[in-house]
Amino acid sequence: MEIDWETVSEIGQGIGALGTVISALALLGVIRSLRLQLRQTQASEEEVVRAMRNDLMIVALENDKYLPLWGYPASLPPKDMALHAYLGMEFSYFETALRNGRLTELELEQVISNIFQLEVGRDFWRNSRVVYLESGDAAALRLARIAERHFRNQTELAAIEASPAGPARPPISADLDFDTVDVAGLLPRRGRRAVLSTCLHLLRVAIWLRVGYGLTGGRIRPPGSAGS
């Protein structure tokens, strides 16, 4: 029996190519496994660091004399300093929860909006925003983007409410087109009643003049006078 060496060679080359593909896939699997292990190791180390920080911060919160050692301004009252420290821990949780998918951006926006309604919350972000805005971490930047937007909105609202004049009212000018402007909306409630009363009185006078003019042949007589 004659052996077809050319066919055998082709089969051997095919098996060799298949073995190469399998080896490449196995190598990719090993690389992916190593990357997952590296991420898990980094996450574990990060959790250890955060746990140590939280333990130290709890000690500082229980003894406020240690809070200035964390960089909080010594000029702040102890209560505000403790609130700043707690907010730092809370924002650290926000960052970790965003990174792990445990917190949605919608939930985060609701919480941060409530935090920044308080002056102490806005003051905390005013002092800490640079750390988050200049961070290279994706989760920290997402947190900074959301917090910065709500910080600006709440700061503007607080400035308007603190203004003695309150929100600016549109001026009533002679240049207004009274055919298109709701004049009643520009007047206070008491002023609207006065204008309405005046209009009704003028309407009654106009009706009286028209009726009296027709009944007297063009001569206007006051009400109650006898006709001739």
Side-chain angles (χ1 to χ4, degrees), residues 113-168:
S113 177
N114 293 332
I115 290 175
F116 287 163
Q117 290 179 11
L118 304 175
E119 178 61 31
V120 65
R122 296 192 298 272
D123 192 45
F124 163 78
W125 184 250
R126 194 177 291 112
N127 296 329
S128 306
R129 60 199 296 195
V130 176
V131 177
Y132 292 90
L133 291 172
E134 295 184 355
S135 173
D137 183 77
L141 291 175
R142 288 170 62 193
L143 173 60
R145 174 176 54 82
I146 295 172
E148 187 68 12
R149 183 173 69 253
H150 285 281
F151 171 75
R152 293 180 182 276
N153 292 340
Q154 294 296 339
T155 301
E156 292 176 0
L157 289 175
I160 293 175
E161 292 176 356
S163 175

Side-chain angles (χ1 to χ4, degrees), residues 192-214:
R192 296 179 197 176
R193 293 178 179 176
V195 170
L196 182 60
S197 177
T198 303
C199 291
L200 292 176
H201 179 70
L202 292 176
L203 180 61
R204 287 196 296 268
V205 172
I207 293 174
W208 172 76
L209 288 175
R210 185 175 181 84
V211 173
Y213 185 84

Side-chain angles (χ1 to χ4, degrees), residues 34-87:
L34 291 175
R35 291 182 62 183
L36 289 176
Q37 291 180 4
L38 178 60
R39 289 181 180 177
Q40 291 177 353
T41 302
Q42 291 176 343
S44 299
E45 292 177 351
E46 184 178 353
E47 288 299 323
V48 171
V49 172
R50 291 185 183 277
M52 293 176 60
R53 178 183 182 275
N54 290 340
D55 291 341
L56 292 172
M57 188 60 69
I58 290 174
V59 174
L61 288 172
E62 294 175 350
N63 302 273
D64 53 19
K65 63 182 179 181
Y66 296 128
L67 288 175
L69 301 178
W70 282 90
Y72 297 105
S75 58
L76 287 175
K79 181 180 179 181
D80 290 349
M81 201 178 302
L83 289 173
H84 277 233
Y86 179 81
L87 285 170

